[in-house]
Amino acid sequence: MFPVNITSSIFSTFLLTGIPGLEDVHIWISIPFCAMFLITLVGNVTIMTVIWKEQTLHVPMYLFLAMLAASDLGLSLFTFPTMLRIFWLDGRELTLSACFTQMFFIHTFQDTESAIILAMAFDRYVAISRPLHYSSILTNSVIARIAYAIVVRTLTVQVPLPILLRRLCFCHSNLLSHSYCLHPDIIKLSCSNTKVNSIFGLFVVLSTMGLDFLFILLSYVLILKTVLSMASHGSRLKALNTCISHVSAVILFFTPMICLSMLHRFGPRLPSHVYVAMANMHFLIPPVMNPIVYVVKTKQIRDKILKLFIKKRPGGDQQAAQETQHTTSIALALQSHLSEFKALCSK
């Protein structure tokens, strides 16, 4: 997707890193990662299918959840396969063009997920603070415009990244620190002047995920202010309970990302397994955990999944009626015998 002129670079490929120090047991390590990948695929595809098929779920909260599942699925499809390729086949080489393409899509889905989580925070704020006007504020046209704005913003800041990387020369080393290509990791290998790349990369992080995180915090400050103004203790708990799934998504997404970004740019040089662990937590854990959290905490999603996958047996209604009639007959017989027994005892 992003052709690279490699005449100015000594290295024409990058080498990905698996789990440092555990290369001998990569085949065993692949088992839990493969399970995570399958859970991610099944969980997110199921959520998108259920929301798409059930008209009752075509409301803002679940439409944003479908967007989140799509973003998680895209992020997984560009991270898990290269990891499993390393574990199973020791396939560590990627051309510069392939690496830049993977980096573009990983960061694109990363920024998209951040923006969707912000949109979900706005959805929770409107639902709690303006419940009577919820449907009139978050109409389908408003949701469509939000989705369009997310796509435009993400592409505007992400397209220049691989273009700026094309001008760099890579001659110091071609060994990346992770099992996939990330922008901060790539520019560290360049022997060219990377000041522009570093400044623009930092600008992208701060203007997208950094700004999103601040607005999410502001949303929850306003939510807490609204909740604390409620007179009923039960109403407060009910309102806060609707935010638990979203708060979990925020914690799962932003905590590792902030730590990883700060360590790459400002932190001391730490052992490579620290960076690998933080990157894996950020890119692999949210796509696995988000569907689980939302299915566990959202009754409507659970009910619709059961309805989708558990079909009624032929003649099930007739059989159920017969069983009910049989149970009623037994109850009436027992009641009759009990009456006779009481009459005998009274004599």
Side-chain angles (χ1 to χ4, degrees), residues 305-325:
I305 289 175
L306 291 175
K307 179 182 176 182
L308 181 66
F309 289 104
I310 301 178
K311 304 294 184 182
K312 289 185 178 180
R313 291 174 297 174
D317 293 339
Q318 182 179 358
Q319 183 179 354
Q322 292 175 353
E323 290 176 354
T324 302
Q325 184 178 1

Side-chain angles (χ1 to χ4, degrees), residues 139-199:
T139 60
N140 289 337
S141 62
V142 170
I143 295 172
R145 286 197 291 268
I146 290 174
Y148 178 74
I150 290 172
V151 172
V152 171
R153 188 197 75 167
T154 301
L155 293 179
T156 300
V157 297
Q158 289 300 328
V159 168
L161 287 180
I163 296 174
L164 290 173
L165 286 175
R166 290 182 58 192
R167 66 184 185 86
L168 300 182
C169 175
F170 298 94
C171 52
H172 285 163
S173 172
N174 68 335
L175 181 62
L176 296 169
S177 303
H178 305 290
S179 303
Y180 27 77
C181 299
L182 304 178
H183 184 260
D185 203 15
I186 294 173
I187 61 177
K188 284 185 176 182
L189 302 182
S190 175
C191 50
S192 305
N193 186 350
T194 60
K195 186 175 181 180
V196 173
N197 299 74
S198 297
I199 292 174

Side-chain angles (χ1 to χ4, degrees), residues 206-253:
L206 294 178
S207 63
T208 55
M209 291 177 285
L211 202 59
D212 291 344
F213 184 67
L214 291 178
F215 280 124
I216 290 170
L217 289 180
L218 176 62
S219 298
Y220 273 97
V221 169
L222 297 175
I223 287 172
L224 286 175
K225 183 179 177 182
T226 303
V227 169
L228 292 176
S229 65
M230 295 178 179
S232 170
H233 180 69
S235 300
R236 295 177 187 176
L237 291 178
K238 185 177 179 180
L240 291 175
N241 189 56
T242 63
C243 300
I244 291 178
S245 299
H246 182 257
V247 171
S248 300
V250 172
I251 293 172
L252 288 169
F253 181 82

Side-chain angles (χ1 to χ4, degrees), residues 72 127 136 274 310:
D72 281 336
S136 61
V274 175
I310 301 178

